[in-house]
Amino acid sequence: MAARSGNRPAVFRSPAEIPLRPRAADTHTGLRTGRIPVLEPAPTAPGGYAPKAFTGEVVPFRVVSFREGHDRIGVHLRLTSPEGTTSLHRLSPLADGTDRWQVEVALEAQGQWRFEFEAFADEFATWAHAASIKIAADVDVAVMAALGRDLLARAAADPHRPAKQRAMLKARAATLIEADAATALAVATDPGLAAVFADRPLFALASATAEQTITVERTAAAVGAWYEFFPRSEGAKRAKDGTIRSGTFRSAVKHLGRVAEMGFDVLYLPPVHPIGRTHRKGPNNTLDAGPADPGSPWAIGSAAGGHDAVHPDLGTLADFRFFVREARKAGIEVALDLALQASPDHPWVAQHPEWFTTLPDGTIAYAENPPKKYQDIYPVNFDGDPDGIRVEVLRIVRHWIAQGVRIFRVDNPHTKPLQFWEWLIAQVTAEDPDVVFLAEAFTRPAPLRGLAAAGFQQSYTYFTWRNTKPELEEFLTGLATETADYLRPNLFVNTPDILTEYLQYGGRAAYKVRAAIAATAAPAYGVYAGFELFENVARPGSEENIDNEKYEYKFRDFVGAEAAGDSLAPYLRRLNEIRRAHPALRQLRNFTVHWSDDDSILAYSKHLDGAFTPDGAPDTIIVVANVDPHSVRESTVHLDTTIWGAEPGSSFEVEDLITGAVWNWSDHNYVRLDAFTEPVHILHVRSRA
Amino acid sequence: MAARSGNRPAVFRSPAEIPLRPRAADTHTGLRTGRIPVLEPAPTAPGGYAPKAFTGEVVPFRVVSFREGHDRIGVHLRLTSPEGTTSLHRLSPLADGTDRWQVEVALEAQGQWRFEFEAFADEFATWAHAASIKIAADVDVAVMAALGRDLLARAAADPHRPAKQRAMLKARAATLIEADAATALAVATDPGLAAVFADRPLFALASATAEQTITVERTAAAVGAWYEFFPRSEGAKRAKDGTIRSGTFRSAVKHLGRVAEMGFDVLYLPPVHPIGRTHRKGPNNTLDAGPADPGSPWAIGSAAGGHDAVHPDLGTLADFRFFVREARKAGIEVALDLALQASPDHPWVAQHPEWFTTLPDGTIAYAENPPKKYQDIYPVNFDGDPDGIRVEVLRIVRHWIAQGVRIFRVDNPHTKPLQFWEWLIAQVTAEDPDVVFLAEAFTRPAPLRGLAAAGFQQSYTYFTWRNTKPELEEFLTGLATETADYLRPNLFVNTPDILTEYLQYGGRAAYKVRAAIAATAAPAYGVYAGFELFENVARPGSEENIDNEKYEYKFRDFVGAEAAGDSLAPYLRRLNEIRRAHPALRQLRNFTVHWSDDDSILAYSKHLDGAFTPDGAPDTIIVVANVDPHSVRESTVHLDTTIWGAEPGSSFEVEDLITGAVWNWSDHNYVRLDAFTEPVHILHVRSRA
């Protein structure tokens, strides 16, 4: 079955089996309201775009439905898989008084699913509720028995019910003929009968939402541990005379083992294309590059080629394919950068000046933020020849797909038209639904969310700038709820552009805290090389590393640092092991904040019901982090244990997956978190004690 | 002009005048995203129903729009009145970083308006911004001048611009030929030019939302001071032997003056139809009515007739029409009750048993909440003969419209199908758009809001149960923001069913506080007779009056009480005078909470810009209420005076419209509110000092 459901679904493979939707007798066309209102269907995305899920994601399908008076209603989700299999999933009411209904379903097949909600008068439940109260009070016994008899007889006549069930229903109906109160009450309160009608209700007055679609993408669209390195640094050699020989795809292959051994799934490479010479940037973003300075990989294009070429220093296209293949062997998928801009030396400039902005003096406009100019970059003008540039970008993307790439990290997508991205992503995924685009849009919330809604499978977020407990509580909760229907965050802890003050001044504890939260709070996170070496010196006045790798080669001694105990690699390795072992950590929406009495102790849990885990056992992780990296903190953490089904007040065993310590925990638990040793507990709920 | 706007609108009466919407060159069909994204248009109502406004209401039209990069955009509201006049209203950006835009417009004509938002590249603003920065920095002076010359020349060529403006634009363009920096800078920063382009921008890449509709209803749909009385009590006489002669429409006419003199606009009458005898309820909802007990007006129907008849005790249909006419002369509109249920004696029962539920034993089902039964009432079954019952209800409503009624207070609409109401209200208002339906739906939020969205012009709310400062802050803010696009609250302070503990135990201060808040916080409020006499004794264990008027006649000495100083009537009179004098109080969305240091001092303001007031002067009311009716409280109230355009820190004169006291106020103000004298300040901002 392609959809796993928190409630038991009814699955129908032939149209004849699917219960007809009994139209309300008097549905008037032209009315918005169904006979039973069914409103606010979710998942939903803003702007009318289709909501998204990933294979294996537990998706809450929700709707608001109610009817007049006191009669009972039922609500179904009617779900049709990409291959056309229809299943019905009964929703359960959420908190009293909200009229919200929900069922959690994991959609296991990639593609476009269709769904609609149907509300109906649940005649059996209405009768059973009224009859059980009235018969117990000796009111209207004969009338209630007669009404029940009629209901059961109608159900027994349904040719789609199994014969055995029909016989049972007929027999029960017979017992209600001139039944005494005890007999009638037994029928009204029979859980077996209730189950029969829960599976296949007697429904009337059914009303449905319009059919909607939800796009299910592959798991890697939302789940992954990312690592970023510059291939030119991996295996670069400095000669005695100080000259540097660039690392290559071939030399970088030798560093794949290190990445794989830390447990990362995706390796993201900054642009691998030829780099322009005109106005090339030197070390620390200076304007006077020397002849040996390699330049920024984002200044794309030279006489050696443009977006479809590889930098000669890195090797050949064949070398690149070799790198991708070797990575795959190591369990790593390679993500390529897609930065739609050109150095003045890019072949586009001569061949397609219409793709840029030509000024009245005949020159091409540089990128600028007036009065500042970025003279090593020409921005693309998407309105000069929109069809031409689209065809070209599509060609480039397909070119890299042909080299084995299925993930693209898109540089500054918010500086290109949103409409362009909707078009491009739709074109690409129509042909290859496995392709994933990650939006690097460090911009305002509306365009950031707009990019996700319009098609980007994954998004960088504001994570690096959310460091205090209240900030993190609000931010992480928002990711798991408000935007989860269409935006999958990737919690990168650092990038070549971002070295936050928290990391600059937080010491090693800060690196642990940030990695632990990133790896556990959301299903995708990322680390840029050097993080594990606690690189924390910024260019003065900036939030980026000094001697930024964007403008020079880096020589890092990962092995020596680890041997000396000066590396975070073992911690990252452990985090990635924990992520692999715990399916709860590979979900987006199952995040819940818990209360702690300390203003720097952040507590949250991730829980996955046994219905959705590979081994059928529930998986619950509790994370408690001291986000003040300069302190030792003690506090009480107050858990809502009902989330993982523990009775309030009961105790259960937790194991700290970092240290191996085991404790008995309950609703209220003492914690002591020492930033200078282990600032974060990652606790697995092992059993009830 | 039918639409008044906070920003200066451009109005076009002939299609030729309306600026074409220059399509983005490459709009691809099938894409959701416009070249410039335009998202989340508002006003909007849930469930796809049309949002609503009332004539004279200041409506914020809002949208989210942004574009890639740094170029400037503009956003227009394109508004088409019911008669087909189109106007363009330029939106202003809201707070930085939100990408939200807004313009406030008062729609002055009743009917269906159409609106859409258009975003466009504002080429002049982009140029002026870049040019003013770059030229000042002596960067690209010639290029910027040349770009500006081209823009101005293009604008000068627009045949729809006035000839004088075209000449001016041409002249300015000429000055940019080989302009020096000072000349070019003067053009780029010329506010006159900016104004020309603000009115009629040079726009490119325009993208629009889909066209939406908004229903504008008459002012009384949302604004009014309501009073409720039982006509049978107004002029009822008790003889010496204790027998009572019912009040009549003719005797009640004599009490219209009292209601009008207090300043109420709408007089709501409980059902005026014949009352059933079978299982009639006696005093205090007892089951054993005596022959002289008049019964509940909601037990509708007897041998004397049903929903289209008047109770013989009250007079004739002609008497009713006389009452309605006399009320109108007194400036009062009569609202009738629409309670779709029947006493067992209703003519429907014999003529249309299919409109009720017949049980297997042949009896008709009473209203019930199992195991309780309400044997004086048969609920209508809307599914037995849906078309028949619809036709009948429509006939009844039209019958009362023919008697001069335009307002219906609908009893328990949440116990009837929402679909039925959508149909009925659409049918009635298509013929007579002045008809107003008020929903008495004391139910959960989803159905309460659903009724408003599906068509009810006005709604009872949870107001009576919101009594503390935080409750009121949240509740009243929600009414003014969250639901204001489709739900117009009527803040009744009491009803025959509701005498809250706050009133039972709060003493006279409670009555003042509740009336003052109700009359000022929202544009509609209501009072049920007896409130002004501080009637506060409940039937034990209930939240309704003892000796409830629903089951008996009431004899109240309004005149004597007022003479003795024991009446709230003078206070209500003053509140209604204030409401009439201050247009800010007749708006729904202009409500803002201000901070006070005391947990029982509620402070809010209602402000209306001079663009929307009859005399062109801004109208600002500040209400400060001590909601603890047992206390004297002192506190500091902290005002956001920028709402009414006062400079932070400046002082201004306020007059207490209750006491006449005048003070100089500023941002932070000391208040002392004595529940035992005047618990509420209603302050008018008179002038800056």
Side-chain angles (χ1 to χ4, degrees), chain B residues 274-278 280 300-306 309-310 312 343-347 351:
Chain B
I275 296 172
R277 281 250 47 127
T278 304
R280 177 178 285 187
I300 296 170
S302 77
V310 294
S343 107
D345 308 325
H346 196 292
Q351 291 162 20

Side-chain angles (χ1 to χ4, degrees), chain A residues 548-582:
Chain A
N548 197 318
E549 193 168 4
K550 285 166 72 174
Y551 312 108
E552 56 192 278
Y553 302 97
K554 299 302 278 188
F555 299 87
R556 297 184 176 106
D557 182 7
F558 295 105
V559 175
E562 189 166 344
D566 286 336
S567 171
L568 198 66
Y571 195 78
L572 296 175
R573 193 177 296 130
R574 183 67 191 133
L575 290 176
N576 288 331
E577 280 170 7
I578 295 169
R579 287 171 50 88
R580 280 174 202 257
H582 291 281

Side-chain angles (χ1 to χ4, degrees), chain A residues 152-168:
Chain A
L152 297 183
R154 275 199 284 143
D158 174 358
H160 292 300
R161 291 187 190 270
K164 205 172 139 187
Q165 189 180 95
R166 294 174 63 187
M168 182 273 272

